[in-house]
Amino acid sequence: MKTFLKILLTALAVVVLATILPGVEVSGYLSAIIVAAVIALLNMVVRPLLIFFTLPATLVTFGLFIFVINAIIIMLADNLVDGFAVSGFFAALLFSILLSIFRSALFSLLKEENQTNK
């Protein structure tokens, strides 16, 4: 249930960011939910492989190359999901940074809610 809630919160963040950012478009709420699920799957499968293979670049840039990996994940989601479009690399980079910020804020609200219920 918690994973489904996280996907819905990520979909909410995707919709909000698509309305704010000029280079990102989402056709509807269902597409946003699919984008959130695809991003979650790519983060579980592809992201660790990318981090492993680009470890030297990540170490040299003191971890800042992770932002590039996140942008690549967003661009992969753009290719996999119809109804989701990112205009280019820098739009994907900005989208991934803002999505991380939105997700951490929304997930922290979820954690606070769970702690008060215990």
Side-chain angles (χ1 to χ4, degrees), residues 20-35:
I20 294 172
L21 295 176
V24 180
E25 295 178 13
V26 169
S27 64
Y29 295 111
L30 181 62
S31 293
I33 292 171
I34 294 170
V35 167

Side-chain angles (χ1 to χ4, degrees), residues 12-26:
L12 175 69
V14 166
V15 169
V16 169
L17 288 174
T19 58
I20 294 172
L21 295 176
V24 180
E25 295 178 13
V26 169

Side-chain angles (χ1 to χ4, degrees), residues 41-113:
L41 287 172
L42 289 173
N43 279 336
M44 285 184 344
V45 177
V46 176
R47 189 171 191 259
L49 292 171
L50 286 175
I51 289 173
F52 177 74
F53 288 123
T54 61
L55 193 59
T58 304
L59 291 175
V60 168
T61 61
F62 299 109
L64 292 177
F65 196 76
I66 297 293
F67 291 123
V68 174
I69 291 172
N70 289 341
I72 291 170
I73 295 292
I74 297 300
M75 293 178 77
L76 282 172
D78 173 25
N79 289 331
L80 293 173
V81 178
D82 291 333
F84 178 64
V86 180
S87 63
F89 176 76
F90 290 109
L93 183 66
L94 183 61
F95 180 79
S96 68
I97 291 170
L98 292 176
L99 183 66
S100 297
I101 292 170
F102 272 55
R103 286 179 62 184
S104 55
L106 290 172
F107 292 172
S108 70
L109 292 175
L110 184 65
K111 286 181 184 178
E112 287 178 13
E113 181 181 309

